[in-house]
Amino acid sequence: MKPVIFRPLSTLLMGFTYLLSQFVDHPFLPVLVSVFAATTILSFVPYLGKVPRILISTLLILSAILFFQNGSWSAVGEGLRSNVGLLAIFIFVPLLSLPIQSGKYLDYMETIFNHYIKTSRKLYLYLKMTLMGVGSVVNLGTIPIMYQLTNTPSLESYEKTRLKAMNRGFSLSFMWSPYFISLALILSYFDVTWIQLFPFGISMAIIGLLLGVVMEGRLNHPIEITENQTDAIPIKKAQRKLIELVIIIVSMTAVTMTIEYNVDLSVITIIPVIAIIISTGWSLFYQSIQSFGKELLGYTQNRLPKMGNELSLFIAAGCFGVAILNAGASEWIIYSLQASGITHVLVLIPILAIVINALSFVGIHPIITITAMAITLSSTPIFEGDHLVLSLGLLSSWMVTVMASPFSATNLMIASLVNSNSVKIGLKLNGLYALVLWMIFYLIIVGLYFVL
């Protein structure tokens, strides 16, 4: 197999240069970040599918036209690197999956599942909690792993329950996980911190967890484990290792919160650095330097080249967002909102939700829509004091697209696993749940607006 060099090299140089620029104040470093962002997107575009290639090329062409018309070519570099901080999380956080795999935590988790899952309700609850917990760190790769772990003779007749749990558990992580791109984007543009968002985001995620149990609670069939489905790992050892995993994840999150509170650094910078350090030390606890080096090489050859759609889309969306801002989008939005009478944030949030989800259902990724909205709304004086509720509103809307849109990566992946279509996975299995949950979240946001 021919080694892949240019794409992963450009991606890693972009990520590492960005992190270096956050610690070293040198005027040349931001320029380098922009250059590596440009080489990254150019290296990936030829390998993209037809639809994403057209979409990303269109965004770049429109950005160039806007930059040219407004004589703001100096802002091109700013546009290219505007979303690189988000991509640093996207590039480096998946490294945490290496020690999770080498430490065989997934094997222990399988033992836990086989021992404790005795009813369909427990299957739904445990699987959803796992996706919301482990998935918040390992990200999208958790879905096929958990699907395979639960794809046993005893559980095969509960496929719909499993698919709902995986979709919903993963989607709820968008509300609170500092390792997700959704939080990173919001923190990049709005005057809020993760410490401010976390208590509300995690509380909303727990409400989503409970809502699913209520909506699925009427279906609670006993599950009989087949005789050949035995656990080679003692249950007590599996319990200890699972507790160990939870402690590590919670500790990482606590360290992130502590550093953000005490140091003048954004969580967007802190998380990639912690991911690199923890994944290295944790992996070396289980294997030699040589073995870890081979895993890192495999990561650059297998995982990074598959990130092309997301990396290119995020860079292009950031560039387009800066371009429309330089073209006067902020003033245009202010005028439009005033002309339409939409000057209250509680009226704006449902409108944003409709726009974000409507566009996601025709294939426009929410990263494009929300980037443009975040850039313009965060600089609009009308909503200067409403950044917290606006942030929660945008996160809630993004969560709905992940659950229900047939074009979300989550539903496309799940559909491919079960040889189904993403419309059925998204709308039929999760559409009603997503709508009810968004309404509950909106009521919470209304309450926060009047309390805070």
Side-chain angles (χ1 to χ4, degrees), residues 282-295:
W282 195 3
S283 294
L284 292 177
F285 182 80
Y286 290 108
Q287 57 188 317
S288 66
I289 295 177
Q290 291 81 1
S291 298
F292 180 54
K294 289 180 181 179
E295 287 195 350

Side-chain angles (χ1 to χ4, degrees), residues 2 6 32 131:
K2 187 177 179 180
F6 193 60
L32 272 182
L131 264 294

Side-chain angles (χ1 to χ4, degrees), residues 159-179:
E159 185 171 82
K160 285 186 178 179
T161 300
R162 293 158 56 210
L163 299 185
K164 289 177 183 179
M166 289 189 291
N167 172 297
R168 298 171 186 182
F170 181 76
S171 302
L172 288 171
S173 297
F174 277 71
M175 293 299 302
W176 68 273
S177 175
Y179 311 103

Side-chain angles (χ1 to χ4, degrees), residues 341-399:
I342 304 172
T343 56
H344 199 289
V345 66
L346 295 181
V347 178
L348 179 65
I349 287 175
I351 295 174
L352 296 180
I354 293 171
V355 172
I356 292 167
N357 281 275
L359 291 176
S360 76
F361 272 76
V362 294
I364 306 299
H365 198 285
I367 188 65
I368 299 173
T369 316
I370 295 179
T371 295
M373 289 177 175
I375 288 177
T376 53
L377 292 174
S378 62
S379 60
T380 302
I382 298 175
F383 305 109
E384 188 174 358
D386 301 320
H387 283 201
L388 179 60
V389 291
L390 260 178
S391 298
L392 291 172
L394 289 173
L395 289 171
S396 301
S397 300
W398 196 335
M399 176 206 67

Side-chain angles (χ1 to χ4, degrees), residues 37-51:
T39 57
T40 297
I41 194 170
L42 291 175
S43 68
F44 274 107
V45 165
Y47 297 92
L48 301 178
K50 183 178 180 180
V51 173

